[in-house]
Amino acid sequence: MPVEALDITAVPTADLNLVLAAPVTSLKIGRASGDASTVKTTITVPRGVKWPALDLPKGNVLRNTTFVGDPTDMDNALTSGISARNKNNAVLENITFDGVPMKNKGIDFTYSGSANVVVKDITIKNCVAEDLTDIFFGVQWYNNNSQVGNFIIENNKISYSSATPANINALYLLNTTLPVTVKGNVINAGTKHGIFLSNNEGGVTIEGNNITVANGEDGIKFDQLNSAMTITGNTIKAKEFGIRCARFDATEAPTVTITGNTLNLDIMKDGCYGIYVGDKAGTGTFTGSAVVTVSGNKKAGNYSGEAWF
């Protein structure tokens, strides 16, 4: 019989390396609000052991924590994800997910606090997420004094269930103030966009991803960009736009580089484009300015039209 619950919220005196050799129904994580301990926690779930539900209590901080799993062990995947949504978890810092198998839900750090939020230094790598019905990774904050970013999302395989609700993005990255890197992922997206970004101040690099959006809209959509963005070396197949910029922030002049991408237009709807910089409705709602470089991209698939950019 599995242990019903394990609580590791007490601060240890030394680094904690926890290996779950037997099933645990739920694992309570994080520290009490205000804790500034530098102690590191590593939680490993070996192959053959069912992932516990990860319980991050309201108000707790989560920092210096690494989750390690076997990405091929989908029979024992994490099914409830990890959520800080509307919990006032004001500090989520130095967290790594390495090789964690996931189903149903991913990592939801949206609306994690109301003011001066710290959501930074987060690495998600080598994970496999199948049959998702919610975001794989999402972040959004309220307050201009927040520190949000230093995200590395790399070498993950992400796919969605046919039962996914409407308007679900695979990656939902809003209001970041520090750098974001999305690299080398395979994303078979849900019902909205593969990657959606808005109000990103710290710079964004999207490189070498393979993105398919068969039941949603855009491969990559960015909106109200106000920092440098590089989109390079990606292969994208989307139902609407492969890469779409909706508008630029009125007070900023970002540098946007879109180069070396392959846009497969097999399933693209009429009236859409492989690469599009402009308002979808064509109403000319741009209020800012930008330096946009588009070069070395190529189209693929069965597309008879000429205006793919």
Side-chain angles (χ1 to χ4, degrees):
M1 293 292 292
V3 175
E4 287 300 312
L6 185 62
D7 186 338
I8 60 168
T9 57
V11 181
T13 57
D15 292 351
L16 173 65
N17 188 0
L18 174 65
V19 179
L20 297 181
V24 175
T25 301
S26 67
L27 185 65
K28 186 177 286 188
I29 57 177
R31 314 288 186 217
S33 177
D35 174 67
S37 170
T38 59
V39 171
K40 298 178 181 178
T41 299
T42 301
I43 299 164
T44 302
V45 180
R47 183 174 182 81
V49 177
K50 175 68 178 175
W51 270 82
L54 299 177
D55 176 14
L56 178 61
K58 185 175 182 179
N60 274 23
V61 304
L62 182 64
R63 58 157 58 93
N64 305 324
T65 301
T66 298
F67 300 90
V68 181
D70 183 335
T72 67
D73 193 9
M74 298 308 297
D75 289 341
N76 293 296
L78 174 66
T79 57
S80 56
I82 179 171
S83 177
R85 179 177 289 204
N86 297 324
K87 290 184 178 181
N88 199 30
N89 303 114
V91 178
L92 304 166
E93 180 179 14
N94 193 21
I95 304 167
T96 296
F97 298 85
D98 187 355
V100 177
M102 305 179 200
K103 287 187 176 181
N104 190 33
K105 293 182 179 294
I107 303 158
D108 186 352
F109 288 168
T110 57
Y111 305 111
S112 56
S114 58
N116 301 328
V117 174
V118 175
V119 184
K120 69 175 185 176
D121 304 331
I122 295 174
T123 297
I124 306 168
K125 62 181 181 179
N126 307 322
C127 297
V128 174
E130 296 180 353
D131 295 323
L132 290 179
T133 58
D134 208 336
I135 52 178
F136 173 70
F137 177 55
V139 63
Q140 186 172 9
W141 56 273
Y142 295 108
N143 186 279
N144 286 334
N145 294 322
S146 298
Q147 301 176 57
V148 180
N150 285 339
F151 300 149
I152 298 174
I153 305 164
E154 184 172 17
N155 196 35
N156 303 287
K157 296 181 180 179
I158 304 160
S159 60
Y160 275 77
S161 165
S162 59
T164 302
N167 300 320
I168 298 297
N169 300 280
L171 298 179
Y172 183 77
L173 306 171
L174 276 65
N175 309 110
T176 55
T177 61
L178 298 167
V180 173
T181 299
V182 181
K183 183 177 181 180
N185 302 282
V186 177
I187 302 173
N188 288 295
T191 52
K192 194 65 173 178
H193 308 305
I195 304 173
F196 178 58
L197 307 108
S198 181
N199 277 322
N200 305 102
E201 295 182 359
V204 177
T205 300
I206 302 174
E207 179 181 358
N209 303 282
N210 191 319
I211 303 169
T212 302
V213 187
N215 299 306
E217 296 180 15
D218 305 340
I220 300 170
K221 180 185 176 183
F222 56 99
D223 179 87
Q224 298 184 77
L225 181 69
N226 47 23
S227 66
M229 174 175 284
T230 299
I231 301 174
T232 185
N234 302 282
T235 298
I236 302 171
K237 183 177 182 178
K239 192 172 182 179
E240 294 193 7
F241 298 88
I243 300 170
R244 173 159 65 112
C245 173
R247 52 186 169 161
F248 297 111
D249 188 277
T251 61
E252 304 290 341
T255 299
V256 180
T257 303
I258 302 173
T259 183
N261 301 284
T262 299
L263 289 303
N264 186 313
L265 311 179
D266 272 343
I267 60 174
M268 189 176 73
K269 293 166 57 175
D270 290 342
C272 297
Y273 297 87
I275 300 173
Y276 192 81
V277 181
D279 179 68
K280 180 179 178 182
T283 56
T285 57
F286 280 89
T287 55
S289 61
V291 177
V292 181
T293 300
V294 181
S295 67
N297 303 286
K298 62 182 180 179
K299 62 180 178 180
N302 297 316
Y303 177 71
S304 60
E306 293 297 327
W308 69 283
F309 165 60

